Amino acid sequence: RFYVLMSLFLVPITVMMQRDFGAMREAEAECVATEYVEANDDEGAEIASGSYQRFRWLFAVVPIITMLLVVVAALYVTGLQAITEQAAGGVAPTMTGFERLRQIIGSANSNVSLQYGAMVGLAVAIGLPLSTRTISLGRLTEGATAGVRIILPAVAVLWTASALSRMTSDRSVNGEVASRPFQFQDRRLYAADYLTGFLSGGPGEKTSGDPQLLSLALAPTVTFLLAAFVAFCTGTSYGTMGILLPMVIPLVCGMLSLKGDVSLNDPVLLATIAGVLSGAVFGDHCSPISDTTILSSQSSGCDHMTHVLTQAPYAALAAAVSVVIGTLPIGFGVSVWYLLPTQLVALIVCTRIFGRKVSTA
């Protein structure tokens, strides 16, 4: 997952070298020149007047800790219930120690656990200030309503992305209906089967004798760019993974099968799967409609589009290095252990060349 690693490395590199570039450098230079810090006037005046003096850091920390504890507890309870039912039916093997804990967490219902955790955390977040009479119910209602307005577009995107993923996928194995088929299976698009045949010349729309329309060596790069595009347009990384992984894995396996046996440790297969995951993160970082991007700008008090434009050059640099010295050469057989240190050096060199210190900007 080249982009994910390079984006993590880029943060300490820019901090230690004290160099910025693009819109961020311009914003930093303007801030230093004018000594101006933008803030919300109403909220700043209210804080300065001392009306928030009774606020406590516990009002923020306790709900988060409560939510995490409830989520973990619900994961354990739902997972234990699931493996108990499987053991009663003779499906799940008996495990002990850490392996049993892994089995419990892996079998848990994460959706239910997250919902219960969020509800209990919200109740605690509302109850603490109300019980101490720190804030009125009307102000709490206003804050909750504003939070819903911020999150609602992200929820809508996730919902529609999940629907699109279900419409394009299938639940069939070698033409046979699986034990748990999707509803309305005869009306689904079966995009993975179609793309496998169309792009690789394998079974499907094209015959195995046709030339491949997508070179196997380019599969990691193509999937990375495609995932970045989908994530940028939809604003969700998880939704992009749900859409593309059911298509990409059969596609690459079909192309590998034409060359011989399919190995789960094949570098191209691993790099292609990683291309979907990291490309989705890259697109999500740059997308102005991403929930994480929206929350980052809102929580820091930064103008939303300013946040998007200032972080985009850094994400683009990490993505360019990931493609040129990552997905492209690994598709042609270059070892990942040569590529990772080379990418790190490239990030340092690019930051040195294109970046400038704020004092000299």
Side-chain angles (χ1 to χ4, degrees):
R1 301 183 62 180
F2 295 118
Y3 171 77
V4 177
L5 295 174
M6 292 306 106
S7 61
L8 290 175
F9 284 132
L10 188 57
V11 174
I13 289 174
T14 55
V15 170
M16 290 186 292
M17 298 183 67
Q18 298 182 1
R19 290 177 177 270
D20 293 299
F21 47 86
M24 179 65 77
R25 180 174 61 83
E26 297 175 0
E28 292 273 2
E30 180 181 359
C31 183
V32 171
T34 60
E35 296 182 356
Y36 172 75
V37 178
E38 184 177 359
N40 184 295
D41 296 335
D42 296 335
E43 184 177 354
E46 199 167 7
I47 293 176
S49 66
S51 60
Y52 279 176
Q53 288 180 356
R54 298 181 61 190
F55 274 14
R56 298 292 184 267
W57 60 271
L58 288 175
F59 291 176
V61 175
V62 173
I64 295 176
I65 295 178
T66 303
M67 179 191 66
L68 294 176
L69 292 176
V70 172
V71 169
V72 173
L75 286 173
Y76 184 84
V77 171
T78 57
L80 183 61
Q81 181 181 5
I83 66 170
T84 302
E85 294 176 354
Q86 293 173 1
V91 177
T94 302
M95 297 183 180
T96 58
F98 183 71
E99 289 297 327
R100 178 174 173 81
L101 180 61
R102 288 183 57 186
Q103 185 184 16
I104 290 175
I105 299 300
S107 303
N109 191 329
S110 58
N111 290 331
V112 172
S113 303
L114 290 172
Q115 290 175 19
Y116 275 106
M119 287 189 295
V120 175
L122 178 61
V124 173
I126 294 175
L128 280 178
L130 284 181
S131 62
T132 57
R133 298 182 179 180
T134 304
I135 192 172
S136 65
L137 181 61
R139 291 295 302 275
L140 281 174
T141 304
E142 292 177 6
T145 303
V148 170
R149 286 199 298 266
I150 293 175
I151 298 299
L152 192 59
V155 174
V157 170
L158 288 171
W159 197 346
T160 52
S162 176
L164 180 60
S165 175
R166 290 174 178 267
M167 288 179 60
T168 57
S169 60
D170 59 24
R171 282 286 182 90
S172 62
V173 180
N174 296 328
E176 300 292 334
V177 177
S179 59
R180 294 193 306 161
F182 279 143
Q183 191 179 11
F184 306 117
Q185 188 169 359
D186 56 336
R187 295 180 176 88
R188 296 194 177 275
L189 300 181
Y190 297 90
D193 292 343
Y194 174 80
L195 289 176
T196 299
F198 183 76
L199 296 177
S200 68
E205 293 296 319
K206 299 179 72 64
T207 63
S208 58
D210 293 328
Q212 294 184 2
L213 299 181
L214 173 64
S215 172
L216 184 62
L218 297 178
T221 302
V222 172
T223 54
F224 176 84
L225 297 176
L226 179 61
F229 176 77
V230 174
F232 180 84
C233 294
T234 61
T236 168
S237 56
Y238 288 130
T240 301
M241 297 172 193
I243 293 172
L244 295 182
L245 281 177
M247 301 181 188
V248 168
I249 294 176
L251 170 63
V252 177
C253 288
M255 297 171 68
L256 289 173
S257 65
L258 298 177
K259 296 177 176 286
D261 295 334
V262 179
S263 173
L264 296 180
N265 295 322
D266 188 281
V268 175
L269 176 60
L270 295 177
T272 303
I273 296 175
V276 174
L277 303 178
S278 56
V281 174
F282 168 52
D284 185 78
H285 281 173
C286 298
S287 176
I289 61 174
S290 167
D291 52 350
T292 52
T293 307
I294 294 173
L295 291 175
S296 296
S297 60
Q298 292 293 323
S299 61
S300 60
C302 176
D303 177 75
H304 178 58
M305 287 309 301
T306 300
H307 170 62
V308 173
L309 295 176
T310 51
Q311 75 169 0
Y314 297 91
L317 173 60
V321 172
S322 301
V323 170
V324 176
I325 319 178
T327 58
L328 281 174
I330 204 172
F332 292 95
V334 181
S335 173
V336 65
W337 303 114
Y338 293 113
L339 297 177
L340 288 175
T342 307
Q343 290 177 354
L344 184 58
V345 172
L347 284 181
I348 296 175
V349 171
C350 291
T351 304
R352 176 72 181 179
I353 295 176
F354 299 108
R356 290 184 184 179
K357 293 186 177 182
V358 175
S359 58
T360 61

